[in-house]
């Protein structure tokens, strides 16, 4: 496991303990397992440029989005963004591989709404050329925000940049130039998306 991923998981574990939710972390760590090599290989075939740090995160936990482990369904906050109030789930390798249809984003990408919807200039303006990997949904089942790795940026962007979709008002913006930079952003924040409002509550 590379240093960034290891430091990120340590930061996350510390955040759970600092919020009095250490048992929640320990219960999660006790049941979770990594993705199968078969599922990881399928993901690599779809996305040859998938960052190794995301693969390693999936080797630690194969998804936390209502994912069943040993007969127990797990809904666990593993990620965040620059929206402090919204923690995020990690999708499983299989969920990532199955979510290739981004047609609902086409009108945004193609700038059909003009200035009504804020779209980062680092994002391509031709939906037919999109290559995005959807890896995370926010706490309300993705209704408010979703996270993507963008392998098809505009000339202003960087291949592998992390894009966040936010709803109401709708916008698409780049929040990091790479997945590793994204994890570093969360580490620098002290994983502050884990707080008294987001842990220890009933999310069923």
């Amino acid at each position: 496991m590379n240093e960034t991923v290891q430091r990120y998981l340590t930061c996350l574990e510390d955040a759970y303990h600092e919020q009095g939710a250490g048992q929640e972390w320990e219960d999660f760590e006790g049941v979770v397992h990594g993705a199968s090599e078969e599922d990881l290989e399928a993901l690599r075939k779809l996305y040859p440029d998938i960052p190794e740090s995301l693969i390693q995160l999936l080797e630690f936990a194969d998804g936390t989005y209502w994912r069943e482990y040993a007969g127990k369904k797990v809904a666990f906050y593993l990620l965040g963004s620059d929206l402090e109030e919204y923690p995020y789930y990690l999708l499983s390798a299989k969920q990532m591989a199955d979510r290739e249809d981004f047609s609902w984003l086409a009108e945004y990408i193609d700038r059909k709404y003009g200035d009504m919807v804020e779209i980062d200039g680092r994002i391509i303006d031709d939906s037919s050329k999109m290559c995005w990997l959807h890896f995370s949904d926010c706490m309300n089942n993705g209704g408010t925000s979703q996270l993507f790795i963008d392998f098809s940026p505009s000339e202003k962007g960087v291949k592998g940049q992390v894009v966040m979709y936010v709803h109401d008002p709708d916008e698409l913006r780049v929040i990091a130039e790479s997945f590793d930079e994204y994890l570093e952003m969360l580490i620098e924040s002290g994983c502050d998306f884990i707080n008294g409002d987001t842990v220890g509550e009933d999310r069923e």
Side-chain angles (χ1 to χ4, degrees):
M1 185 176 293
N2 75 26
E3 181 188 2
T4 301
V5 176
Q6 185 60 64
R7 287 192 300 111
Y8 177 70
L9 291 175
T10 297
C11 175
L12 189 62
E13 180 178 6
D14 288 347
Y16 270 92
H17 281 279
E18 286 167 8
Q19 293 299 323
Q23 190 61 53
E24 189 173 338
W25 172 268
E26 290 169 16
D27 290 345
F28 167 72
E29 196 171 26
V31 69
V32 74
H33 61 73
S36 70
E37 190 53 46
E38 180 182 0
D39 285 345
L40 290 175
E41 186 59 31
L43 196 56
R44 284 189 179 101
K45 285 182 179 178
L46 285 170
Y47 301 101
D49 295 313
I50 185 171
E52 188 60 28
S53 48
L54 178 53
I55 291 290
Q56 290 181 3
L57 205 56
L58 287 167
E59 288 175 338
F60 168 73
D62 186 27
T64 66
Y65 187 73
W66 304 110
R67 175 74 161 84
E68 187 169 312
Y69 292 102
K72 179 182 178 182
K73 279 207 169 180
V74 170
F76 192 82
Y77 300 144
L78 199 78
L79 295 169
S81 72
D82 59 1
L83 297 176
E84 181 182 344
E85 67 269 32
Y86 287 109
Y88 291 69
Y89 303 109
L90 174 70
L91 301 184
S92 71
K94 191 173 189 308
Q95 286 172 324
M96 292 181 199
D98 288 346
R99 294 184 177 212
E100 287 189 276
D101 181 11
F102 301 124
S103 58
W104 64 276
L105 282 170
E107 292 187 338
Y108 296 111
I109 299 300
D110 295 334
R111 311 307 199 261
K112 294 288 181 66
Y113 297 105
D115 294 335
M116 293 175 58
V117 177
E118 185 177 340
I119 309 294
D120 196 305
R122 291 170 286 181
I123 295 172
I124 200 170
D125 60 3
D126 183 349
S127 61
S128 69
K129 297 179 180 178
M130 279 178 68
C131 181
W132 285 21
L133 188 166
H134 177 198
F135 69 91
S136 182
D137 282 339
C138 76
M139 62 188 296
N140 62 351
N141 301 321
T144 298
S145 181
Q146 298 178 1
L147 299 175
F148 306 86
I149 297 177
D150 175 9
F151 299 110
S152 54
S154 73
E155 291 182 357
K156 297 178 181 178
V158 178
K159 188 174 184 179
Q161 62 194 11
V162 175
V163 173
M164 178 170 65
Y165 163 74
V166 182
H167 174 61
D168 196 19
D170 289 3
E171 65 175 308
L172 284 164
R173 70 173 184 265
V174 175
I175 61 172
E177 291 191 348
S178 69
F179 190 77
D180 281 61
E181 184 179 289
Y182 160 72
L183 292 181
E184 290 286 358
M185 177 186 76
L186 300 181
I187 292 169
E188 287 176 13
S189 77
C191 293
D192 60 5
F193 54 91
I194 300 302
N195 54 58
D197 295 326
T198 60
V199 294
E201 61 186 358
D202 182 4
R203 298 188 297 277
E204 294 294 331

